[in-house]
Amino acid sequence: MTDSTEAAAHWRAPLASGPIDATVTVPGSKSVTNRGLVLAALSTEPGWLRRPLRSRDTLLMAGALRAMGVHIEETVSSSSSATGAPATGGGEAWRIIPAGLHGPATVDVGNAGTVMRFLPPVAALADGPVRFDGDPRSYERPLHGVIDALRALGARIDDDKRGALPLTVHGGGSVEGGTVEIDASSSSQFVSALLLSGARFNQGVEVRHTGGALPSMPHIRMTIEMLRQAGVKVDSPEDGGEADVWRVTPGALLGRDLVVEPDLSNAQPFLAAALVTGGTVTVPDWPAHTAQPGDALREIFTAMGGSCELTERGLTFTGSGRIHGIDVDLSEVGELTPGIAAVAALAEGESVLRGVAHLRLHETDRLAALTKEINGLGGDVTETEDGLRIRPRPLHGGVFHTYDDHRLATAGALLGLAVEGVEVENIATTGKTLPDFPAMWAAMLGEPDGGRG
């Protein structure tokens, strides 16, 4: 790539001229949308997903299920959803009609962890081979937990002993199931992947985690909650059961009419903007009760200097004009780390972000990337064994690289609110889970073009 072409690909992050005051409607949750698609595809009757997220990750999931024979119809309606909220995106409702899962099929996972991990168990239930491939980075992301578990449960998988993509699942129409031990310390998605399909296994499934600390527990709780809503019997440690053991009883899944919550993790940059500028942002339809890890932002950002109010309208967050450093364990909400790190780089005191060693295996090595990019703007960030130590320093402009990671891109935009001359490389990568981010950012700031360079 030439220097001129590379420069043209940079997005000049808008500098905030003062405290912002905005209402930002956040699209639906990726985690709920993709779990809902899988459960609907495995159900015994048609179901609906209302206000689903339309992004790269969710469209890859829908495309993969279609390749295996599932019918997914998209409808657009001018009427309000079941929550009374207006329609969002170009496909307000998806009708999912289960069909006999079959191969041969080819699945493009992109770089979506939910697609590459949730769908091999589904493919094992199909009749015929299903090949999985994706972006170059997807080859580096761990998949051994799902592959080894499926083999132990009776599935046949060809991965040339890599424990990673690309691979082919030779579906036999059924999976025997039973008890399996896995090390899910690198990704909680290994557990969710087996639980989502477990009710369709002949013996159900009992998943025993045998490794170190299990990250992102809220996502496992989300999986269990959605399974139970689909009529599946699940026993979990939270019910007083054995630690790190989950059991799914075999049985039919019921079709549902599911309204997808706003993606609370994707609300992070907008709430953080209120904190950084000392302004106010309201996110409509913030649920009073949710399994989404993004709900932790209320507590975390309040500790960093803001205040929030949750009403029937949604969540209103207000910055105080000062940002406090924070010492926090993010093991359950690791996906929030990039945004918190960006805010911490603008704080008055030191911050320590702990419990997120597993982020080295995400879309990119997020700890190394955050360290390099914030330091490249004059910051003082060091990696620890399981996180980051961030000492505030005066920052300057420069290019903030994203490594094809949507959360790195929004972190760069956040820094640009307070630091003149920040240029975010490949802002389009936000389309992975948050379509139209530049336009949403511009609207929040009252700018017509989002500060495009």
Side-chain angles (χ1 to χ4, degrees):
M1 177 179 288
T2 65
D3 291 344
S4 60
T5 304
E6 184 176 1
H10 296 162
W11 177 77
R12 189 171 63 248
L15 184 71
S17 58
I20 61 174
D21 185 359
T23 295
V24 180
T25 299
V26 178
S29 164
K30 177 204 73 174
S31 297
V32 173
T33 299
N34 275 357
R35 283 166 173 78
L37 282 168
V38 172
L39 292 174
L42 296 173
S43 297
T44 57
E45 55 193 357
W48 286 90
L49 277 183
R50 303 188 187 276
R51 300 180 69 193
L53 173 67
R54 288 180 56 85
S55 71
R56 188 186 185 211
D57 279 17
T58 60
L59 294 176
L60 284 169
M61 179 68 84
L65 292 170
R66 286 187 176 112
M68 288 188 275
V70 179
H71 301 288
I72 301 175
E73 302 171 353
E74 300 183 32
T75 64
V76 179
S77 171
S78 59
S79 62
S80 296
S81 74
T83 62
T88 60
E92 184 200 6
W94 292 352
R95 182 166 171 80
I96 301 97
I97 304 172
L101 297 167
H102 63 77
T106 298
V107 168
D108 176 11
V109 309
N111 192 19
T114 52
V115 181
M116 71 179 72
R117 291 165 181 151
F118 291 178
L119 289 189
V122 176
L125 293 165
D127 185 8
V130 180
R131 177 171 172 77
F132 289 80
D133 208 338
D135 296 352
R137 171 62 180 173
S138 71
Y139 293 9
E140 302 171 16
R141 300 185 67 182
L143 204 55
H144 55 85
V146 174
I147 294 171
D148 294 345
L150 286 175
R151 284 185 178 135
L153 295 172
R156 180 183 162 211
I157 301 176
D158 177 14
D159 67 335
D160 291 335
K161 300 181 180 180
R162 286 185 302 269
L165 293 170
L167 60 85
T168 298
V169 178
H170 296 275
S174 66
V175 175
E176 188 58 26
T179 300
V180 65
E181 294 185 350
I182 64 170
D183 179 354
S185 56
S186 60
S187 176
S188 68
Q189 290 175 350
F190 295 165
V191 175
S192 287
L194 297 167
L195 299 183
L196 286 168
S197 293
R200 288 285 305 272
F201 297 168
N202 296 340
Q203 298 181 37
V205 70
E206 178 180 292
V207 180
R208 292 179 167 269
H209 167 59
T210 60
L214 192 60
S216 305
M217 279 298 298
H219 280 120
I220 295 179
R221 290 194 282 270
M222 177 190 295
T223 297
I224 293 169
E225 180 179 305
M226 293 182 69
L227 278 165
R228 288 173 174 164
Q229 291 169 351
V232 176
K233 178 174 171 48
V234 185
D235 297 319
S236 72
E238 287 84 0
D239 305 319
E242 193 175 346
D244 292 338
V245 177
W246 297 264
R247 297 181 182 89
V248 174
T249 301
L253 285 80
L254 307 177
R256 296 192 57 218
D257 191 328
L258 175 66
V259 179
V260 179
E261 298 173 351
D263 193 313
L264 306 189
S265 294
N266 278 341
Q268 180 185 40
F270 305 102
L271 299 182
L275 189 57
V276 168
T277 67
T280 298
V281 166
T282 296
V283 177
D285 301 322
W286 193 286
H289 304 284
T290 179
Q292 289 191 60
D295 194 45
L297 289 167
R298 291 192 289 159
E299 179 179 352
I300 294 169
F301 279 166
T302 296
M304 296 188 79
S307 61
C308 65
E309 181 182 16
L310 184 60
T311 66
E312 291 184 358
R313 183 186 175 207
L315 181 74
T316 297
F317 186 84
T318 303
S320 63
R322 300 182 65 181
I323 303 173
H324 308 311
I326 191 171
D327 187 327
V328 61
D329 184 343
L330 299 176
S331 57
E332 292 205 345
V333 293
E335 65 193 47
L336 304 179
T337 302
I340 294 170
V343 174
L346 302 170
E348 297 176 348
E350 179 177 294
S351 294
V352 179
L353 312 184
R354 296 178 283 106
V356 289
H358 60 285
L359 294 188
R360 294 185 171 98
L361 301 171
H362 274 222
E363 280 82 345
T364 188
D365 179 340
R366 284 179 170 167
L367 300 185
L370 286 165
T371 300
K372 181 178 180 181
E373 297 310 314
I374 295 176
N375 289 350
L377 302 182
D380 183 2
V381 182
T382 55
E383 284 192 57
T384 64
E385 182 180 352
D386 70 338
L388 299 172
R389 184 178 299 275
I390 303 169
R391 300 176 180 88
R393 295 286 186 271
L395 302 181
H396 55 72
V399 177
F400 192 94
H401 297 91
T402 65
Y403 309 90
D404 293 323
D405 187 327
H406 54 134
R407 301 209 191 277
L408 264 293
T410 54
L414 269 172
L415 290 169
L417 288 175
V419 181
E420 187 172 6
V422 173
E423 296 184 4
V424 180
E425 172 261 341
N426 190 17
I427 193 67
T429 196
T430 53
K432 185 178 192 298
T433 62
L434 191 55
D436 302 324
F437 171 77
M440 294 176 68
W441 202 246
M444 177 189 72
L445 293 167
E447 296 190 3
D449 64 355
R452 289 187 179 278

